[in-house]
Amino acid sequence: MKEIYETTAPQQTFALARQLAEQAVPGSVFCLDGDLGTGKTVFTQGFAAGLGIEGPVNSPTFTIICEYEEGRLPLYHFDVYRISDPEEMDEIGYEDYFFGRGVTMVEWASLIWELIPREAIRITIEKEPERGFDYRRITIDDRADCLGGRIAGF
Ligand code: ADP
Ligand code: MG
């Protein structure tokens, strides 16, 4: 089932993701897609906060993966924008993360769609300029294991 959320400020996207993280279970993989500057990293920062991660979370653009261990569950934050061949993911050992005991968040997941597990939760962030500069539509797909239901307050 598809859930559609709308936000009009980065803080709202952050708060939405923070609430989503509270429902996250070990082994979940979240796929984030959307153009540059739509808010994938803002979303991940909120998600990290929801797991209780306090340190700064930035896009691991050059390192591909950043691991945060201090929260309720480990967070594995991928940004695969610079991956030119999915084989690079093998070299990183992505399977240990995707099928590990933590939660994985992948920015630009569609670039490595072959590697994304079928049960992954897909999130798309879109702008719609005629609705304002800070407007974002956030669509969450395939949340079959939906624990908490629709995220309240949005
Ligand atoms: P991405 O990781 O998708 O490239 P970022 O999260 O790095 O994008 O940047 C998103 C930018 O858009 C930030 O500068 C943020 O302040 C801004 N922004 C404006 N409105 C929103 C919103 N509703 N949700 C998320 N980010 C927003
Ligand atoms: Mg980013």
Side-chain angles (χ1 to χ4, degrees), residues 7-10 13 34-43 59 107 133-136:
T7 68
T8 52
T13 297
D35 293 340
L36 203 65
T38 46
K40 298 180 294 301
T41 299
V42 168
F43 191 94
S59 224
E107 293 191 41
F133 190 68
D134 292 343
Y135 172 88
R136 302 288 189 271

mmCIF file of all heavy atoms in Angstrom, residues 7-10 13 34-43 59 107 133-136, ligand 1:
data_model
loop_
_atom_site.group_PDB
_atom_site.id
_atom_site.type_symbol
_atom_site.label_atom_id
_atom_site.label_comp_id
_atom_site.label_asym_id
_atom_site.label_seq_id
_atom_site.Cartn_x
_atom_site.Cartn_y
_atom_site.Cartn_z
ATOM 1 N N THR A 7 5.296 17.690 2.831
ATOM 2 C CA THR A 7 5.948 18.567 3.803
ATOM 3 C C THR A 7 6.244 19.908 3.124
ATOM 4 O O THR A 7 6.349 19.983 1.899
ATOM 5 C CB THR A 7 7.255 17.967 4.362
ATOM 6 O OG1 THR A 7 8.248 17.909 3.328
ATOM 7 C CG2 THR A 7 7.040 16.569 4.922
ATOM 8 N N THR A 8 6.369 20.930 3.946
ATOM 9 C CA THR A 8 6.628 22.270 3.410
ATOM 10 C C THR A 8 7.823 22.928 4.108
ATOM 11 O O THR A 8 7.992 24.137 4.018
ATOM 12 C CB THR A 8 5.379 23.163 3.544
ATOM 13 O OG1 THR A 8 4.930 23.117 4.894
ATOM 14 C CG2 THR A 8 4.253 22.698 2.633
ATOM 15 N N ALA A 9 8.613 22.131 4.801
ATOM 16 C CA ALA A 9 9.834 22.645 5.444
ATOM 17 C C ALA A 9 10.744 21.450 5.730
ATOM 18 O O ALA A 9 10.257 20.347 5.982
ATOM 19 C CB ALA A 9 9.492 23.361 6.750
ATOM 20 N N PRO A 10 12.059 21.670 5.705
ATOM 21 C CA PRO A 10 12.975 20.558 5.987
ATOM 22 C C PRO A 10 12.728 19.927 7.355
ATOM 23 O O PRO A 10 12.843 18.710 7.510
ATOM 24 C CB PRO A 10 14.371 21.198 5.906
ATOM 25 C CG PRO A 10 14.184 22.654 5.702
ATOM 26 C CD PRO A 10 12.777 22.903 5.318
ATOM 27 N N THR A 13 10.161 17.204 7.104
ATOM 28 C CA THR A 13 10.675 15.960 6.508
ATOM 29 C C THR A 13 11.505 15.209 7.551
ATOM 30 O O THR A 13 11.407 13.980 7.684
ATOM 31 C CB THR A 13 11.522 16.300 5.261
ATOM 32 O OG1 THR A 13 10.653 16.925 4.310
ATOM 33 C CG2 THR A 13 12.151 15.068 4.651
ATOM 34 N N GLY A 34 15.037 10.324 -5.485
ATOM 35 C CA GLY A 34 14.595 11.700 -5.692
ATOM 36 C C GLY A 34 15.779 12.480 -6.214
ATOM 37 O O GLY A 34 16.923 12.146 -5.916
ATOM 38 N N ASP A 35 15.492 13.525 -6.974
ATOM 39 C CA ASP A 35 16.563 14.318 -7.582
ATOM 40 C C ASP A 35 17.479 14.924 -6.520
ATOM 41 O O ASP A 35 17.119 14.984 -5.345
ATOM 42 C CB ASP A 35 15.957 15.445 -8.420
ATOM 43 C CG ASP A 35 15.215 14.907 -9.632
ATOM 44 O OD1 ASP A 35 15.485 13.755 -10.017
ATOM 45 O OD2 ASP A 35 14.359 15.637 -10.165
ATOM 46 N N LEU A 36 18.594 15.413 -6.995
ATOM 47 C CA LEU A 36 19.557 16.112 -6.139
ATOM 48 C C LEU A 36 18.856 17.265 -5.422
ATOM 49 O O LEU A 36 18.131 18.036 -6.047
ATOM 50 C CB LEU A 36 20.671 16.665 -7.038
ATOM 51 C CG LEU A 36 22.002 16.944 -6.390
ATOM 52 C CD1 LEU A 36 22.635 15.648 -5.890
ATOM 53 C CD2 LEU A 36 22.944 17.607 -7.385
ATOM 54 N N GLY A 37 19.051 17.334 -4.110
ATOM 55 C CA GLY A 37 18.493 18.457 -3.355
ATOM 56 C C GLY A 37 17.025 18.326 -2.989
ATOM 57 O O GLY A 37 16.413 19.289 -2.531
ATOM 58 N N THR A 38 16.455 17.131 -3.138
ATOM 59 C CA THR A 38 15.048 16.983 -2.753
ATOM 60 C C THR A 38 14.903 16.740 -1.254
ATOM 61 O O THR A 38 13.851 17.023 -0.682
ATOM 62 C CB THR A 38 14.351 15.841 -3.527
ATOM 63 O OG1 THR A 38 15.196 14.698 -3.534
ATOM 64 C CG2 THR A 38 14.032 16.251 -4.949
ATOM 65 N N GLY A 39 15.938 16.174 -0.621
ATOM 66 C CA GLY A 39 15.847 15.987 0.827
ATOM 67 C C GLY A 39 16.152 14.579 1.315
ATOM 68 O O GLY A 39 15.779 14.219 2.433
ATOM 69 N N LYS A 40 16.868 13.803 0.518
ATOM 70 C CA LYS A 40 17.187 12.431 0.937
ATOM 71 C C LYS A 40 18.075 12.439 2.178
ATOM 72 O O LYS A 40 17.896 11.629 3.081
ATOM 73 C CB LYS A 40 17.882 11.672 -0.216
ATOM 74 C CG LYS A 40 17.000 11.547 -1.457
ATOM 75 C CD LYS A 40 17.691 10.794 -2.593
ATOM 76 C CE LYS A 40 18.882 11.497 -3.186
ATOM 77 N NZ LYS A 40 18.599 12.822 -3.758
ATOM 78 N N THR A 41 19.016 13.366 2.200
ATOM 79 C CA THR A 41 19.901 13.416 3.369
ATOM 80 C C THR A 41 19.168 13.986 4.580
ATOM 81 O O THR A 41 19.320 13.471 5.696
ATOM 82 C CB THR A 41 21.190 14.200 3.034
ATOM 83 O OG1 THR A 41 21.862 13.505 1.974
ATOM 84 C CG2 THR A 41 22.118 14.288 4.231
ATOM 85 N N VAL A 42 18.346 14.988 4.366
ATOM 86 C CA VAL A 42 17.522 15.512 5.476
ATOM 87 C C VAL A 42 16.669 14.375 6.052
ATOM 88 O O VAL A 42 16.564 14.213 7.277
ATOM 89 C CB VAL A 42 16.611 16.671 4.980
ATOM 90 C CG1 VAL A 42 15.559 17.025 6.021
ATOM 91 C CG2 VAL A 42 17.452 17.887 4.619
ATOM 92 N N PHE A 43 16.070 13.586 5.183
ATOM 93 C CA PHE A 43 15.244 12.462 5.611
ATOM 94 C C PHE A 43 16.088 11.481 6.444
ATOM 95 O O PHE A 43 15.670 11.048 7.520
ATOM 96 C CB PHE A 43 14.668 11.754 4.375
ATOM 97 C CG PHE A 43 13.602 10.750 4.690
ATOM 98 C CD1 PHE A 43 12.257 11.102 4.650
ATOM 99 C CD2 PHE A 43 13.932 9.444 5.026
ATOM 100 C CE1 PHE A 43 11.270 10.178 4.945
ATOM 101 C CE2 PHE A 43 12.947 8.512 5.333
ATOM 102 C CZ PHE A 43 11.610 8.884 5.287
ATOM 103 N N SER A 59 25.911 13.158 4.082
ATOM 104 C CA SER A 59 25.853 12.207 2.978
ATOM 105 C C SER A 59 27.227 11.587 2.756
ATOM 106 O O SER A 59 28.211 12.301 2.595
ATOM 107 C CB SER A 59 25.380 12.909 1.716
ATOM 108 O OG SER A 59 24.434 12.097 1.097
ATOM 109 N N GLU A 107 20.536 6.136 -0.243
ATOM 110 C CA GLU A 107 20.220 7.260 -1.130
ATOM 111 C C GLU A 107 20.569 6.872 -2.571
ATOM 112 O O GLU A 107 21.578 6.247 -2.808
ATOM 113 C CB GLU A 107 21.024 8.511 -0.729
ATOM 114 C CG GLU A 107 20.622 9.058 0.624
ATOM 115 C CD GLU A 107 21.212 10.447 0.903
ATOM 116 O OE1 GLU A 107 21.252 11.297 0.005
ATOM 117 O OE2 GLU A 107 21.617 10.664 2.060
ATOM 118 N N PHE A 133 8.715 26.449 -3.088
ATOM 119 C CA PHE A 133 10.110 26.029 -3.124
ATOM 120 C C PHE A 133 10.394 24.908 -2.128
ATOM 121 O O PHE A 133 11.205 24.027 -2.381
ATOM 122 C CB PHE A 133 10.983 27.259 -2.812
ATOM 123 C CG PHE A 133 12.434 27.036 -3.044
ATOM 124 C CD1 PHE A 133 12.920 26.856 -4.340
ATOM 125 C CD2 PHE A 133 13.328 26.990 -1.981
ATOM 126 C CE1 PHE A 133 14.270 26.642 -4.565
ATOM 127 C CE2 PHE A 133 14.683 26.775 -2.196
ATOM 128 C CZ PHE A 133 15.148 26.609 -3.485
ATOM 129 N N ASP A 134 9.727 24.940 -0.984
ATOM 130 C CA ASP A 134 10.004 23.973 0.079
ATOM 131 C C ASP A 134 9.004 22.818 0.138
ATOM 132 O O ASP A 134 9.041 22.009 1.058
ATOM 133 C CB ASP A 134 10.039 24.691 1.436
ATOM 134 C CG ASP A 134 11.241 25.627 1.549
ATOM 135 O OD1 ASP A 134 12.192 25.485 0.748
ATOM 136 O OD2 ASP A 134 11.227 26.503 2.432
ATOM 137 N N TYR A 135 8.129 22.770 -0.840
ATOM 138 C CA TYR A 135 7.148 21.680 -0.862
ATOM 139 C C TYR A 135 7.822 20.372 -1.307
ATOM 140 O O TYR A 135 8.597 20.366 -2.250
ATOM 141 C CB TYR A 135 6.005 22.020 -1.831
ATOM 142 C CG TYR A 135 5.058 20.857 -2.047
ATOM 143 C CD1 TYR A 135 3.957 20.671 -1.202
ATOM 144 C CD2 TYR A 135 5.283 19.927 -3.064
ATOM 145 C CE1 TYR A 135 3.104 19.589 -1.392
ATOM 146 C CE2 TYR A 135 4.435 18.847 -3.251
ATOM 147 C CZ TYR A 135 3.352 18.686 -2.408
ATOM 148 O OH TYR A 135 2.516 17.620 -2.588
ATOM 149 N N ARG A 136 7.529 19.284 -0.608
ATOM 150 C CA ARG A 136 8.005 17.959 -1.029
ATOM 151 C C ARG A 136 6.876 16.951 -0.881
ATOM 152 O O ARG A 136 6.172 16.950 0.135
ATOM 153 C CB ARG A 136 9.164 17.471 -0.148
ATOM 154 C CG ARG A 136 10.373 18.393 -0.108
ATOM 155 C CD ARG A 136 11.157 18.389 -1.411
ATOM 156 N NE ARG A 136 12.411 19.095 -1.282
ATOM 157 C CZ ARG A 136 12.585 20.403 -1.484
ATOM 158 N NH1 ARG A 136 11.557 21.168 -1.816
ATOM 159 N NH2 ARG A 136 13.780 20.952 -1.367
HETATM 160 P P1 ADP B 1 19.528 15.219 -1.272
HETATM 161 O O1 ADP B 1 20.206 14.349 -0.237
HETATM 162 O O2 ADP B 1 18.253 14.626 -1.792
HETATM 163 O O3 ADP B 1 20.444 15.619 -2.404
HETATM 164 P P2 ADP B 1 19.542 17.188 0.837
HETATM 165 O O4 ADP B 1 18.792 16.527 1.943
HETATM 166 O O5 ADP B 1 21.025 17.219 0.936
HETATM 167 O O6 ADP B 1 19.094 16.571 -0.574
HETATM 168 O O7 ADP B 1 19.071 18.696 0.674
HETATM 169 C C1 ADP B 1 17.730 19.070 0.651
HETATM 170 C C2 ADP B 1 17.683 20.593 0.656
HETATM 171 O O8 ADP B 1 16.349 21.044 0.461
HETATM 172 C C3 ADP B 1 18.160 21.180 1.976
HETATM 173 O O9 ADP B 1 18.869 22.344 1.713
HETATM 174 C C4 ADP B 1 16.842 21.480 2.707
HETATM 175 O O10 ADP B 1 16.972 22.545 3.629
HETATM 176 C C5 ADP B 1 15.959 21.871 1.535
HETATM 177 N N1 ADP B 1 14.518 21.686 1.769
HETATM 178 C C6 ADP B 1 13.581 22.632 1.559
HETATM 179 N N2 ADP B 1 12.359 22.182 1.834
HETATM 180 C C7 ADP B 1 12.505 20.886 2.231
HETATM 181 C C8 ADP B 1 11.575 19.895 2.637
HETATM 182 N N3 ADP B 1 10.244 20.096 2.668
HETATM 183 N N4 ADP B 1 12.067 18.681 2.965
HETATM 184 C C9 ADP B 1 13.402 18.443 2.901
HETATM 185 N N5 ADP B 1 14.332 19.336 2.522
HETATM 186 C C10 ADP B 1 13.889 20.570 2.185
#
